[in-house]
Amino acid sequence: MAKLDRFGLSAALATPFDADMRIDIDAAINHARNCLENGCSSVTLFGTTGEGSSISNEERSAMLGAFLKSDIAPEQIVVGVMANSYIDAALQSLEALDAGCRNVLLAPPSYFKNISDDGLFNWFSAVFAEIGSSARGVILYNIPSVTAVEISVDLVSRLREAFPGVIAGVKDSSGNWPFTESLLAKHNDLAILIGDERGLAAGVRMGGQGAISGLANIYAHRLLPMVFEGRDDADVVEAVNQIVAFPVIPAVKALIAHQSGDENWRRARAPLRSLSDSDYGRLISTLDRLFKSAAA
């Protein structure tokens, strides 16, 4: 089916690294379990927060294989795919889909810039042709701040028409509210997922089906009312405002380290850098005050 029953909340799982900067798979699985226990309906591997573009194909296969051998069901796993080659994108997607994973979060190619909708349509078409009959459950990933490539509302329409039953949703991390509104108006029978938590509640009230969220690594319990009730949360909005004042991925990992008591979570793989001790202290102090004040 093209439409998801109700997507809910997926943690855009951060990826832990050991002292040699190898993936700590056991720590990743334990963290995924915590996210699911805290109310997430799934976890998303290899997304933006998971530093997916810095993880090799061999590492992806090893990590996904370990997850599938754990007590985490394939239906609780979304796999992020961000590759420039449509052949690589198809191989990564096919690995996840053949394993029974819930969805593939598929980003557009990002090396070439100023690509037309026709060019993007041809690229996605080539990916789906390579996947073949296994193609299903694809969530298109619109994050132009990272890819410098926009997925237009019209492109979503063209892909749906050309590949019925393949497109399950769109994750919109554009931060462009008029675009989000137009996407919800045109494709509200798909799972439209709000990538910027500051617009999450409003998006859900307009028919959005939830989020794949980096913040869900730490504050899933605060996001659940936003996802399932469209309830505003000014503290979450302010938390995002504070986090984006720093490099976002290292900031999320810093918060996981603080919450878990495991400083190893602070490591980010090159070219990203971990937060400095001073920035780490400022971020933790600010977020602790914010949420302790809200709980008082």
Side-chain angles (χ1 to χ4, degrees):
M1 292 178 63
K3 184 175 179 179
L4 298 170
D5 293 332
R6 172 80 188 181
F7 186 85
L9 179 63
S10 185
L13 206 73
T15 303
F17 299 106
D18 64 20
D20 296 320
M21 296 310 296
R22 305 298 182 188
I23 297 174
D24 187 337
I25 293 179
D26 289 341
I29 291 172
N30 287 334
H31 180 55
R33 289 190 184 111
N34 289 336
C35 291
L36 293 169
E37 289 170 0
N38 288 331
C40 292
S41 50
S42 65
V43 293
T44 297
L45 309 183
F46 317 123
T48 303
T49 307
E51 300 171 74
S53 62
S54 297
I55 296 174
S56 71
N57 287 341
E58 291 79 9
E59 288 175 313
R60 290 173 61 95
S61 293
M63 184 168 165
L64 178 58
F67 266 71
L68 293 170
K69 290 177 183 177
S70 74
D71 55 349
I72 298 173
E75 296 82 9
Q76 295 175 300
I77 300 172
V78 177
V79 173
V81 173
M82 43 187 73
N84 287 304
S85 162
Y86 69 79
I87 297 171
D88 285 345
L91 288 173
Q92 292 176 12
S93 299
L94 193 57
E95 181 178 41
L97 294 172
D98 281 351
C101 292
R102 179 175 184 177
N103 298 101
V104 167
L105 176 64
L106 180 58
S110 59
Y111 183 82
F112 296 107
K113 304 303 184 286
N114 302 314
I115 302 300
S116 67
D117 269 13
D118 287 341
L120 289 173
F121 177 82
N122 291 340
W123 186 87
F124 281 109
S125 297
V127 173
F128 299 151
E130 287 285 329
I131 295 174
S133 59
S134 295
R136 62 162 179 83
V138 172
I139 299 172
L140 302 173
Y141 191 8
N142 186 45
I143 182 167
S145 63
V146 174
T147 62
V149 176
E150 292 190 359
I151 296 176
S152 70
V153 174
D154 287 343
L155 178 60
V156 177
S157 299
R158 288 179 65 183
L159 289 170
R160 293 188 68 185
E161 182 176 355
F163 301 95
V166 172
I167 308 301
V170 181
K171 179 185 178 185
D172 178 33
S173 295
S174 66
N176 178 353
W177 183 248
F179 173 81
T180 305
E181 287 183 310
S182 64
L183 187 63
L184 285 163
K186 179 70 174 179
H187 297 293
N188 62 5
D189 59 326
L190 293 181
I192 305 302
L193 310 177
I194 313 301
D196 186 335
E197 294 91 348
R198 292 170 292 191
L200 176 55
V204 168
R205 291 196 295 269
M206 292 183 62
Q209 287 199 26
I212 298 175
S213 165
L215 209 60
N217 283 278
I218 319 107
Y219 301 123
H221 63 291
R222 294 295 294 260
L223 296 173
L224 292 173
M226 303 175 80
V227 165
F228 289 102
E229 303 170 29
R231 188 191 306 174
D232 290 317
D233 190 327
D235 297 317
V236 168
V237 172
E238 181 56 26
V240 175
N241 289 336
Q242 295 296 329
I243 290 169
V244 299
F246 300 88
V248 173
I249 297 168
V252 169
K253 299 188 88 167
L255 290 167
I256 298 171
H258 176 62
Q259 187 180 74
S260 66
D262 182 358
E263 288 290 294
N264 293 330
W265 271 102
R266 290 180 60 183
R267 298 188 184 109
R269 183 175 274 185
L272 299 181
R273 299 180 62 193
S274 304
L275 288 191
S276 67
D277 289 344
S278 60
D279 282 348
Y280 176 78
R282 286 196 299 125
L283 175 65
I284 296 305
S285 175
T286 301
L287 270 292
D288 276 353
R289 282 200 307 272
L290 175 66
F291 284 107
K292 286 179 181 176
S293 173

PDB file of all heavy atoms in Angstrom, residues 249-262:
ATOM      1  N   ILE A 249      24.304  17.932  14.669  1.00  0.00           N
ATOM      2  CA  ILE A 249      24.551  16.515  14.955  1.00  0.00           C
ATOM      3  C   ILE A 249      25.438  16.338  16.191  1.00  0.00           C
ATOM      4  O   ILE A 249      25.091  15.561  17.100  1.00  0.00           O
ATOM      5  CB  ILE A 249      25.127  15.807  13.716  1.00  0.00           C
ATOM      6  CG1 ILE A 249      24.094  15.841  12.590  1.00  0.00           C
ATOM      7  CG2 ILE A 249      25.510  14.362  14.043  1.00  0.00           C
ATOM      8  CD1 ILE A 249      24.643  15.442  11.233  1.00  0.00           C
ATOM      9  N   PRO A 250      26.571  17.047  16.301  1.00  0.00           N
ATOM     10  CA  PRO A 250      27.341  16.943  17.547  1.00  0.00           C
ATOM     11  C   PRO A 250      26.544  17.387  18.769  1.00  0.00           C
ATOM     12  O   PRO A 250      26.751  16.849  19.867  1.00  0.00           O
ATOM     13  CB  PRO A 250      28.541  17.863  17.293  1.00  0.00           C
ATOM     14  CG  PRO A 250      28.701  17.876  15.810  1.00  0.00           C
ATOM     15  CD  PRO A 250      27.298  17.826  15.279  1.00  0.00           C
ATOM     16  N   ALA A 251      25.629  18.344  18.592  1.00  0.00           N
ATOM     17  CA  ALA A 251      24.820  18.792  19.728  1.00  0.00           C
ATOM     18  C   ALA A 251      23.873  17.691  20.190  1.00  0.00           C
ATOM     19  O   ALA A 251      23.715  17.455  21.404  1.00  0.00           O
ATOM     20  CB  ALA A 251      24.037  20.046  19.349  1.00  0.00           C
ATOM     21  N   VAL A 252      23.226  17.011  19.258  1.00  0.00           N
ATOM     22  CA  VAL A 252      22.343  15.903  19.632  1.00  0.00           C
ATOM     23  C   VAL A 252      23.135  14.812  20.336  1.00  0.00           C
ATOM     24  O   VAL A 252      22.703  14.254  21.358  1.00  0.00           O
ATOM     25  CB  VAL A 252      21.614  15.347  18.392  1.00  0.00           C
ATOM     26  CG1 VAL A 252      20.899  14.031  18.719  1.00  0.00           C
ATOM     27  CG2 VAL A 252      20.610  16.371  17.858  1.00  0.00           C
ATOM     28  N   LYS A 253      24.322  14.508  19.826  1.00  0.00           N
ATOM     29  CA  LYS A 253      25.143  13.462  20.443  1.00  0.00           C
ATOM     30  C   LYS A 253      25.597  13.885  21.842  1.00  0.00           C
ATOM     31  O   LYS A 253      25.699  13.047  22.751  1.00  0.00           O
ATOM     32  CB  LYS A 253      26.343  13.130  19.546  1.00  0.00           C
ATOM     33  CG  LYS A 253      25.925  12.615  18.176  1.00  0.00           C
ATOM     34  CD  LYS A 253      27.083  12.105  17.346  1.00  0.00           C
ATOM     35  CE  LYS A 253      27.339  10.639  17.632  1.00  0.00           C
ATOM     36  NZ  LYS A 253      28.254  10.037  16.636  1.00  0.00           N
ATOM     37  N   ALA A 254      25.848  15.169  22.022  1.00  0.00           N
ATOM     38  CA  ALA A 254      26.216  15.669  23.348  1.00  0.00           C
ATOM     39  C   ALA A 254      25.064  15.457  24.328  1.00  0.00           C
ATOM     40  O   ALA A 254      25.281  15.077  25.494  1.00  0.00           O
ATOM     41  CB  ALA A 254      26.590  17.147  23.274  1.00  0.00           C
ATOM     42  N   LEU A 255      23.848  15.697  23.885  1.00  0.00           N
ATOM     43  CA  LEU A 255      22.692  15.513  24.757  1.00  0.00           C
ATOM     44  C   LEU A 255      22.478  14.037  25.093  1.00  0.00           C
ATOM     45  O   LEU A 255      22.085  13.700  26.218  1.00  0.00           O
ATOM     46  CB  LEU A 255      21.447  16.103  24.093  1.00  0.00           C
ATOM     47  CG  LEU A 255      21.431  17.629  24.006  1.00  0.00           C
ATOM     48  CD1 LEU A 255      20.330  18.104  23.061  1.00  0.00           C
ATOM     49  CD2 LEU A 255      21.248  18.254  25.390  1.00  0.00           C
ATOM     50  N   ILE A 256      22.731  13.144  24.132  1.00  0.00           N
ATOM     51  CA  ILE A 256      22.638  11.711  24.426  1.00  0.00           C
ATOM     52  C   ILE A 256      23.689  11.328  25.457  1.00  0.00           C
ATOM     53  O   ILE A 256      23.415  10.561  26.396  1.00  0.00           O
ATOM     54  CB  ILE A 256      22.823  10.873  23.143  1.00  0.00           C
ATOM     55  CG1 ILE A 256      21.720  11.185  22.117  1.00  0.00           C
ATOM     56  CG2 ILE A 256      22.803   9.378  23.474  1.00  0.00           C
ATOM     57  CD1 ILE A 256      21.956  10.550  20.756  1.00  0.00           C
ATOM     58  N   ALA A 257      24.898  11.853  25.291  1.00  0.00           N
ATOM     59  CA  ALA A 257      25.973  11.560  26.252  1.00  0.00           C
ATOM     60  C   ALA A 257      25.575  12.002  27.651  1.00  0.00           C
ATOM     61  O   ALA A 257      25.772  11.271  28.637  1.00  0.00           O
ATOM     62  CB  ALA A 257      27.264  12.260  25.815  1.00  0.00           C
ATOM     63  N   HIS A 258      24.995  13.183  27.743  1.00  0.00           N
ATOM     64  CA  HIS A 258      24.580  13.711  29.047  1.00  0.00           C
ATOM     65  C   HIS A 258      23.464  12.871  29.644  1.00  0.00           C
ATOM     66  O   HIS A 258      23.500  12.525  30.841  1.00  0.00           O
ATOM     67  CB  HIS A 258      24.129  15.158  28.878  1.00  0.00           C
ATOM     68  CG  HIS A 258      23.592  15.779  30.130  1.00  0.00           C
ATOM     69  ND1 HIS A 258      24.348  15.942  31.266  1.00  0.00           N
ATOM     70  CD2 HIS A 258      22.351  16.277  30.430  1.00  0.00           C
ATOM     71  CE1 HIS A 258      23.620  16.519  32.206  1.00  0.00           C
ATOM     72  NE2 HIS A 258      22.404  16.717  31.725  1.00  0.00           N
ATOM     73  N   GLN A 259      22.487  12.526  28.832  1.00  0.00           N
ATOM     74  CA  GLN A 259      21.348  11.764  29.336  1.00  0.00           C
ATOM     75  C   GLN A 259      21.746  10.352  29.741  1.00  0.00           C
ATOM     76  O   GLN A 259      21.265   9.815  30.745  1.00  0.00           O
ATOM     77  CB  GLN A 259      20.245  11.714  28.278  1.00  0.00           C
ATOM     78  CG  GLN A 259      18.946  11.084  28.749  1.00  0.00           C
ATOM     79  CD  GLN A 259      17.893  11.074  27.667  1.00  0.00           C
ATOM     80  OE1 GLN A 259      17.963  10.291  26.730  1.00  0.00           O
ATOM     81  NE2 GLN A 259      16.928  11.969  27.784  1.00  0.00           N
ATOM     82  N   SER A 260      22.642   9.734  28.967  1.00  0.00           N
ATOM     83  CA  SER A 260      23.024   8.344  29.222  1.00  0.00           C
ATOM     84  C   SER A 260      24.166   8.211  30.215  1.00  0.00           C
ATOM     85  O   SER A 260      24.394   7.122  30.760  1.00  0.00           O
ATOM     86  CB  SER A 260      23.439   7.675  27.907  1.00  0.00           C
ATOM     87  OG  SER A 260      24.637   8.266  27.403  1.00  0.00           O
ATOM     88  N   GLY A 261      24.905   9.305  30.422  1.00  0.00           N
ATOM     89  CA  GLY A 261      26.088   9.238  31.268  1.00  0.00           C
ATOM     90  C   GLY A 261      27.280   8.605  30.585  1.00  0.00           C
ATOM     91  O   GLY A 261      28.290   8.299  31.229  1.00  0.00           O
ATOM     92  N   ASP A 262      27.201   8.422  29.255  1.00  0.00           N
ATOM     93  CA  ASP A 262      28.277   7.787  28.487  1.00  0.00           C
ATOM     94  C   ASP A 262      28.926   8.832  27.586  1.00  0.00           C
ATOM     95  O   ASP A 262      28.372   9.209  26.550  1.00  0.00           O
ATOM     96  CB  ASP A 262      27.705   6.637  27.655  1.00  0.00           C
ATOM     97  CG  ASP A 262      28.777   5.898  26.859  1.00  0.00           C
ATOM     98  OD1 ASP A 262      29.958   6.303  26.918  1.00  0.00           O
ATOM     99  OD2 ASP A 262      28.417   4.930  26.166  1.00  0.00           O
TER     100      ASP A 262
END
